[in-house]
């Protein structure tokens, strides 16, 4: 961890205080100009805001969609359970680039989705699905959902569901028993899943680039552009650490919020 993660990050942090010199990668300095530039230029603030908003929406949506699936898997005891879990795991066996390429074929103007739309008479000509916010949202959700389901499944399988049955026997409705018993006990899993997939969304690169196109703006591609295209390593390093700070801060705040909600649900 020290050799492969901490030291490279410390080196990158030092780069973020250097000065960009055209014709060179950077020159030694210790200035805050790169961080000031981020807050001074609306373009980069808008990229961060857009990235944060999309990651937050995808996180909430993936937890909302993944929780019922994880709950069903945790409560089922049929012989098909292992098959269902394998189906959840299967997307993780395929790289993000390959998955994004699959969505590209599915969402393209000549893709399966447009053929279905035209065949059903919903449109007389192909619709533009690719290179939109919706395409990136769908792509990110396909990445996030397996992580959400597996994380929640690990927590829900450890719960004692006889507590739910006891609450029902004492007169609670199914909704009340779930809200007052199961949901508070599963909040740690919700918190862990939320932090995990929010981090994935904030730092996503391949999905926005392939499904959103060159005009779609997110932080990870912007950091790459500063390093590989503009060759402004100090500013790229500053953007990377701002992204780390925002992701970490939002994760901590969301964990504290969910912990507070857990206490309120238990009352």
């Amino acid at each position: 961890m020290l050799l492969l993660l901490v030291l490279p990050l410390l080196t990158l942090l030092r780069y973020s205080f250097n000065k960009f010199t055209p014709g060179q990668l950077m020159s030694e300095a210790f200035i805050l100009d790169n961080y000031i530039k981020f807050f001074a230029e609306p373009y980069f603030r808008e990229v961060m805001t857009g990235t944060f908003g999309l990651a937050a929406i995808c996180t909430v949506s993936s937890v909302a969609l993944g929780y019922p699936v994880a709950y069903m898997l945790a409560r089922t005891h049929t012989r098909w359970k292992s098959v269902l879990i394998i189906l959840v795991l299967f997307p993780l066996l395929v790289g993000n680039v390959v998955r994004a390429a699959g969505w590209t074929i599915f969402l393209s103007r000549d893709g399966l989705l447009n053929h279905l739309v035209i065949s059903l008479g919903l449109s007389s000509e192909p619709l533009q699905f690719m290179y939109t916010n919706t395409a990136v949202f769908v792509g990110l959700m396909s990445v996030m959902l397996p992580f959400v389901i597996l994380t929640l499944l690990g927590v829900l399988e450890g719960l004692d569901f006889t507590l739910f049955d006891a609450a029902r026997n004492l007169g609670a409705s199914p909704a009340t028993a779930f809200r007052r018993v199961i949901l508070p006990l599963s909040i740690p899993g919700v918190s862990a899943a939320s932090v995990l997939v929010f981090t994935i969304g904030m730092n996503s690169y391949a999905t926005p680039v392939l499904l959103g196109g060159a005009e779609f703006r997110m932080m990870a591609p912007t950091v790459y552009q500063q390093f590989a295209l503009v060759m402004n390593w100090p500013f790229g390093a500053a953007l990377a650490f701002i992204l780390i700070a925002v992701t970490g801060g939002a994760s901590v705040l969301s964990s504290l919020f969910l912990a507070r909600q857990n206490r309120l649900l238990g009352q």
Side-chain angles (χ1 to χ4, degrees):
M1 290 289 289
L2 178 64
L3 179 63
L4 299 180
L5 180 63
V6 177
L7 289 180
L9 283 176
L10 290 176
T11 303
L12 194 64
L13 178 62
R14 178 64 186 89
Y15 287 172
S16 70
F17 296 104
N18 285 339
K19 181 181 180 181
F20 173 62
T21 303
Q24 303 179 23
L25 293 179
M26 58 189 164
S27 56
E28 290 290 335
F30 198 87
I31 55 177
L32 297 175
D33 292 14
N34 300 306
Y35 292 94
I36 295 173
K37 179 180 179 180
F38 171 82
F39 293 101
E41 296 191 15
Y43 172 83
F44 296 106
R45 297 201 306 271
E46 291 173 3
V47 172
M48 175 60 78
T49 302
T51 302
F52 185 92
L54 181 59
I57 292 172
C58 289
T59 298
V60 174
S61 301
S62 61
V63 171
L65 292 175
Y67 194 106
V69 178
Y71 185 80
M72 180 271 294
L73 288 174
R75 299 221 63 174
T76 188
H77 298 287
T78 66
R79 61 179 180 176
W80 298 106
K81 181 176 181 178
S82 58
V83 176
L84 295 174
I85 293 176
I86 290 173
L87 291 176
V88 173
L89 280 169
F90 186 77
L92 299 180
L93 303 179
V94 182
N96 288 346
V97 174
V98 177
R99 264 182 288 182
W103 282 114
T104 300
I105 297 172
F106 181 75
L107 298 173
S108 66
R109 293 183 65 85
D110 296 325
L112 177 60
L113 183 57
N114 265 312
H115 280 294
L116 290 174
V117 170
I118 294 173
S119 299
L120 295 173
L122 300 177
S123 176
S124 59
E125 58 183 20
L127 302 177
Q128 180 63 38
F129 294 112
M130 279 294 296
Y131 309 126
T132 62
N133 290 342
T134 302
V136 178
F137 173 80
V138 170
L140 288 177
M141 289 290 292
S142 69
V143 173
M144 293 178 173
L145 271 173
F147 289 104
V148 170
I149 294 171
L150 293 175
T151 302
L152 289 173
L153 178 61
V155 173
L156 290 171
E157 282 188 327
L159 300 185
D160 184 1
F161 284 100
T162 59
L163 298 174
F164 177 87
D165 299 330
R168 294 282 290 117
N169 290 334
L170 291 173
S173 66
T176 301
F178 175 81
R179 180 175 61 85
R180 297 295 300 274
V181 178
I182 301 300
L183 186 57
L185 293 175
S186 64
I187 286 294
V190 173
S191 178
S194 299
V195 170
L196 176 61
V197 297
F198 179 76
T199 302
I200 292 173
M202 286 290 290
N203 295 277
S204 179
Y205 175 81
T207 301
V209 169
L210 294 177
L211 299 183
E215 300 300 321
F216 193 84
R217 300 178 297 180
M218 285 189 73
M219 281 300 293
T222 302
V223 172
Y224 170 81
Q225 290 170 3
Q226 293 299 317
F227 275 102
L229 303 180
V230 184
M231 301 301 290
N232 190 343
W233 285 30
F235 187 57
L239 289 179
F241 272 92
I242 291 171
L243 178 59
I244 292 172
V246 172
T247 304
S251 299
V252 171
L253 290 176
S254 65
S255 298
L256 293 175
F257 172 77
L258 289 173
R260 181 176 180 274
Q261 293 300 112
N262 188 24
R263 292 193 296 269
L264 293 176
L265 288 170
Q267 294 176 358

